[in-house]
Structures are given as C-alpha cells and as structure tokens.
Amino acid sequence: MSRRARALLGVALPVSAIVIFVVLLAFSLMRLSDIERDMRIEATQNMLWVISRAHISSLQLGEAVAGSAVGEVERVQMELRYNVFLSRLALLDDGPQRRRMETLGATAALDALRASLPELGALVMNARPEVVPRIKSLLLPYHAALTEAANKAMVAEWDDLGATLDATRKQLWQIIISMVGISLAGAVLCIHFLLAIRDARQRTRLLDKEKAFSELLIGSSGEGIVAVDLERRCTVWNEAAERLFDIGVERATGAMLGDLSGFFAVGRMEEAISNALQGQAVALFDQPFFPLRQPEPLYLDLRCFPLRDGQRIIGTILLVSDVTERRASQQEIANHRDHLEQLVQARTQELDAALTRERATAELYRNFGTMISHQFRTPLALVDSALQRLMRRHDRLIPGEVIERGEEARGAIARLVRLVETTLDAARLDAGQIEVRSQACDLGHLVGEICSRLTDDTGSGRMTITLPDDSSPIAFCDPVHAEHILTNLLSNAVKYSPETTPITITFASHDAQIECVVTNVGIQEDSFNREALFERYYRGSNTEGRPGIGVGLYMARALARLQGGDVQLQDSSPGMVRMAMLLPSAASGSASVAGMAPREELV
C-alpha cells in the first residue's frame, strides 16, 4: 500500500467515526422525544386504572348481589363477580398500590373492608333480599374511599407528571446543548485533526528527506557503520562494513553481531558494546582483525555510542575504521625514530668515549709531563752533578773518587734507561704490539730467581717463599711476562715497606688458576686510591722521593689479563698489603716439578 493510500485511510477512518457518532446522538435525541410523548399520554392511566377497576368490580358485585336476591343472577356468576372483586381488592392492597393508597389516605377503608370480608363473603354466598342492605352498607365506605382516592390520585399524578415533564424537558435541553457542544467539539477535533494530518505530512516529508540524507551519509561513509539493538541484532550495515568484513547487507541485517564476525566476539569488543548499551561511549584503538583470505591482519579502530530515544537506550552504533596503513606508517616512523635514536645514542656514546679518551689522554699527558719533569730530571741532574764535579776537580781527583763519580753517573743513566724502557713498554702495550707465548712455567723456580736477584740488589734477606704441599706450581703462561709481573710486585713490596719487615710469597690453586700472593707490611690506606691504583701514571702520596713513573701495576695487570689471568689488591688485616697474581694452571700433561716437599726458603 502506498503512502498516499495509507494517509487517506488514516483520515477517512476517524472522520467516519465522528459522523457515526453524530448520527447516533441524533437518533438518541429522537428516542428521547418519543419517550417524553409517551409519558404524556400514559402517565394518567397508571394508578387511576387500578382504582377505577377496583371501584367497578365493587359496583358490579353489588349489582350481582341484588340480582341474585331476586333470582336474576345465577350463583356461578355471583361467585365470579365476588372473585373478581377480591382480586381487585388484593391488587389495590398490595405493593406500590398499597403505598400509594396510604399517600392518598384510603387505607382505613381498605382495612375496614378487609376486616369485614368474612362477613361479606358469607352474605354474598347466601344472598337474600333481606341481606342486600347489609352488603351495601359494608361496601359503601369502600366506594366513597375509592372515589376520593381516585380524585386525589388524578390530581397528584397530574402534579407529579407536570413536575416530571418539566424536569425531563430541562434535562432534554441539557442533553441537546451537550450534543451541540459535542458536535462543535467534534467539528473542532476534525479541523484540528486535519491540521495535524497536514503537519504530519510535512514532518513525514522532512523525515523522509533526512532519512534519505542519513542513508546517503551512511552509505557513502568511508567508515564501517553498524547499528545493533538491545539484543545485539544488526539493524544497520553500510557498504564500508560490507567491504571490510566481506558480508552482504542482506545477510547482516537481523543477524546476531557475534555471528557475523569473530572480531565482535572478542572479550574487549563485547565489553565495549555492553558499556555502550548501558549509556557509556567507548573507544578501542589498533585492534587486530584477521580476514579470511588475507595472510596479514588488519588493524581497526572501534568507537561505540549509545542510541537513545529520549531517556531510553534502544541500541548502540559502532564506527569501525581501517587504520592499517596509518599504523604501518606510525610503525615505520617509530622504527625510523628508534633507528635515529640508536644512531644518536651510538654517536653520543662514540662522542662520550672520544671525550673520555680525550680527557684521559689529556690527563695522561699531564701526568706524563709531570712524571717526566720529575723522574727524568732526577737522573739527569745526578749525571750532570757528577760530571760537574769531575770537571771542577779534575786536577785534584784520585782514581777512586773518579770511579765513584762515574758509577753514580752510570747508575743515573741506567735508571733513566729503565724509565724510558718502561714508557716504551706501556706504549707497545697500548698499541697491541706485545706478543704472548704461553707455555708451562714453574712459578716457584721463577719466584726464587727473582727474589735472589732482588736480594743481591738490595742486600736484604727478608723475603719468604711458601710452596704448596705436593708440588711446585706450574702455570700456563709466557715466562717473560710472568717474570715482569712478579718483578714488579716484589720490587714494589721491597720499595714501599720498611726495610726490617718481612715479605711473604704464597701459592694456592683456585678453579684451574694458580694464585701467587705477595704480602708485605703496608702503609696507611688513605695514602693511595684503591680504584686508581692500577691506572697508568698513578702514584700515591707515599711515593714521594721514590723512583718510578706509575706504570708498573698498570703493566702488570695488563700483561696478566693478556694471558687469561689478573692482578688484584686483596683485602687484608690493617697495616698489611696483599697483591695477588692469578695465572691459568698448566694442563694435566704439562711439565711439573714433583717430589717437592713443603718448605719455606729465606732468600
């Protein structure tokens, strides 16, 4: 059915109902007029008819009694007249007629007649001429009362009927006025209804235009637009959603949302839709969606808004956007940013390292300059002083004094040579020009030789070597470098400990490593920095007046680490210094020195 036909039907039905209503009201007015006319004609025949019939039956009974006394009326007819009389009397003396007779003041005559009925009945049944006067005397008050009651009834009924007619006429006019008002109201209603229909048609046209515009917007939107009702059945499914989920609008409309795609059955999606159905707007970003015929997932943004009809929520609308390209771009930008950050971080680290190296180099050269200015100047000053004495006193010098001055100069030159060699060794170590030729090395024998040499040089025999219980320790190392390390540790122990204090050398094995610990009486801990002790060119406050350039421990640790070992400053009791050299132990088939009993040697 077309919209025009439905509009005409909507107008015809209420107009027809109003017409029928007016016709029925007119028919009711006609019936009320007929009732009023009937009441005028028949109102006077109600009570008067009863009284008159009772009066007539009483008169007929008297005539029948008189005729029966002379033999003109048969007994059967006499009895019939008497029975009719009794029935009229009973009708008059019962129900509303009795109440009406009380109103008219005739009940006394009725009661007196009812009391004399036995006597009257006996007289009537034995009618003789001598009882006729007695019967008439019994009926005479009854006749007079009926005559008076009839007159009163006629007057009262006419008065009541007049009042009733006046009231009825007034009510009829009220009804007529009401009908006229109803008709006018109906006319106004019809006019208003017609105007409302016109407005409704205009609004319908506007709604149709808005609906068409909304459908155009929904259909042309690049976002997937999906609307569901309270039961989560799909009511709107636009073309973008059809392309995105590969589901036609015919199949989607009316179906449960979770049955259309597993994307809407995920816990986060169901929770978002539930919150929207409760009146809360929800947004989910970068949600993965796996199409059936695509190996790579898509990423969707989902926004849920409640649909309201006034204050009542009737469903929710879902806006689904494909943000895969945006996410890929963002990911690419993030990766590029991370790469740039890594490059910047790496470059920063390089710059920091370069700056650190620059600072270390500057500090190194500053320390080296200070050391050179002090350590190299001292032996040169000794050489210069010895030569000057030889030159000033050449004519007075004896051969022994010349030899003494020459030895002083040679000692200073030798010291200077050692300083130069140490500096060159440090430079070669930094340049990676030192080679390591590891082999089995008897550390006990090596330490014994070094101690003997130092004893010859210093003239002190305070060094004690403690070997293991069963054998001399065999390390897998470069003997030259090991000798350099031990020489440095032992010479430092001799140099920085009092001359009369002992120096002990002990050996131990720890997890495939040989540990050689040099212990001597130390100095106060605040005279050096434990962290900087192994740095190049570092010298503590206790080194003043002692030869050296501060690269001994640095070289020792570096050479030990080149061979897989280390040099450490170990914790010890106060006033003692423990320097440990760690080197790898020899393999099981390496040369070993067996049969050495545990012993202590004084050198």
Side-chain angles (χ1 to χ4, degrees), residues 9 59 69 113 141 164 257 264 283 348 381 385 524 568:
L9 181 61
L59 294 175
L113 180 60
T164 301
L257 190 60
F264 299 106
T348 302
S385 175
Q524 296 181 355
Q568 300 173 350

Side-chain angles (χ1 to χ4, degrees), residues 494-544:
V494 173
K495 186 188 304 183
Y496 297 109
S497 63
E499 294 182 356
T500 59
T501 58
I503 299 173
T504 60
I505 302 98
T506 59
F507 292 91
S509 296
H510 299 289
D511 297 332
Q513 281 190 329
I514 301 298
E515 180 184 59
C516 178
V517 181
V518 178
T519 306
N520 63 278
V521 176
I523 54 177
Q524 296 181 355
E525 291 189 2
D526 57 358
S527 63
F528 62 92
N529 187 345
R530 294 177 61 93
E531 300 297 331
L533 187 61
F534 293 95
E535 293 182 1
R536 186 169 46 180
Y537 303 131
Y538 172 78
R539 307 195 75 196
S541 61
N542 62 323
T543 62
E544 185 175 356

Side-chain angles (χ1 to χ4, degrees), residues 34 173 599:
D34 293 339
W173 279 110
R599 65 191 185 276

Side-chain angles (χ1 to χ4, degrees), residues 302-370:
L302 177 68
R303 296 186 295 276
C304 303
F305 303 95
L307 290 176
R308 300 179 182 272
D309 182 12
Q311 298 297 325
R312 185 170 60 95
I313 296 176
I314 61 175
T316 182
I317 185 167
L318 289 75
L319 303 180
V320 185
S321 304
D322 185 358
V323 295
T324 305
E325 295 182 358
R326 186 193 70 187
R327 177 183 171 85
S329 300
Q330 292 176 347
Q331 188 65 33
E332 184 178 356
I333 293 173
N335 293 335
H336 185 62
R337 183 176 62 250
D338 294 340
H339 179 64
L340 290 178
E341 290 179 355
Q342 292 175 359
L343 292 177
V344 171
Q345 184 177 5
R347 185 57 179 166
T348 302
Q349 291 177 353
E350 292 177 359
L351 293 175
D352 291 339
L355 181 59
T356 302
R357 288 195 301 271
E358 181 67 23
R359 290 175 178 174
T361 302
E363 183 68 21
L364 176 64
Y365 283 116
R366 184 167 55 252
N367 294 336
F368 181 74
T370 303

Side-chain angles (χ1 to χ4, degrees), residues 58-74 77-79 81-82 120-121 123-136 139:
S58 176
L59 294 175
Q60 290 178 348
L61 177 62
E63 292 178 358
V65 169
S68 178
V70 294
E72 295 179 356
V73 179
E74 298 179 357
Q77 188 176 3
M78 181 66 181
E79 292 178 357
R81 294 293 184 186
Y82 183 67
L120 179 62
L123 294 174
V124 170
M125 292 298 107
N126 298 312
R128 293 187 301 276
E130 60 272 15
V131 298
V132 173
R134 178 58 182 167
I135 292 173
K136 289 184 178 180
L139 295 176

Side-chain angles (χ1 to χ4, degrees), residues 351-491:
L351 293 175
D352 291 339
L355 181 59
T356 302
R357 288 195 301 271
E358 181 67 23
R359 290 175 178 174
T361 302
E363 183 68 21
L364 176 64
Y365 283 116
R366 184 167 55 252
N367 294 336
F368 181 74
T370 303
M371 180 270 301
I372 290 296
S373 65
H374 177 71
Q375 298 296 335
F376 281 26
R377 185 182 300 166
T378 300
L380 291 175
L382 292 175
V383 172
D384 182 64
S385 175
L387 293 176
Q388 285 181 4
R389 287 182 182 180
L390 288 175
M391 291 173 63
R392 286 196 304 267
R393 301 181 59 187
H394 64 280
D395 54 346
R396 297 187 299 272
L397 290 176
I398 61 176
E401 190 175 357
V402 172
I403 293 174
E404 181 183 356
R405 296 289 182 264
E407 288 179 353
E408 288 181 1
R410 287 190 64 194
I413 292 172
R415 179 180 174 186
L416 182 60
V417 170
R418 286 195 299 271
L419 291 174
V420 173
E421 289 178 350
T422 302
T423 305
L424 294 176
D425 288 340
R428 287 195 296 270
L429 182 63
D430 291 339
Q433 298 176 355
I434 294 180
E435 298 182 357
V436 177
R437 296 183 177 88
S438 298
Q439 61 185 27
C441 177
D442 187 348
L443 293 183
H445 179 70
L446 183 61
V447 170
E449 290 182 351
I450 297 172
C451 289
S452 298
R453 187 170 59 250
L454 289 176
T455 299
D456 294 339
D457 293 339
T458 61
S460 174
R462 54 196 179 103
M463 288 180 283
T464 303
I465 304 173
T466 303
L467 297 175
D469 295 338
D470 53 355
S471 62
S472 179
I474 305 299
F476 187 73
C477 62
D478 188 324
V480 177
H481 297 327
E483 181 181 1
H484 189 161
I485 297 170
L486 291 171
T487 300
N488 183 274
L489 297 181
L490 290 171
S491 62

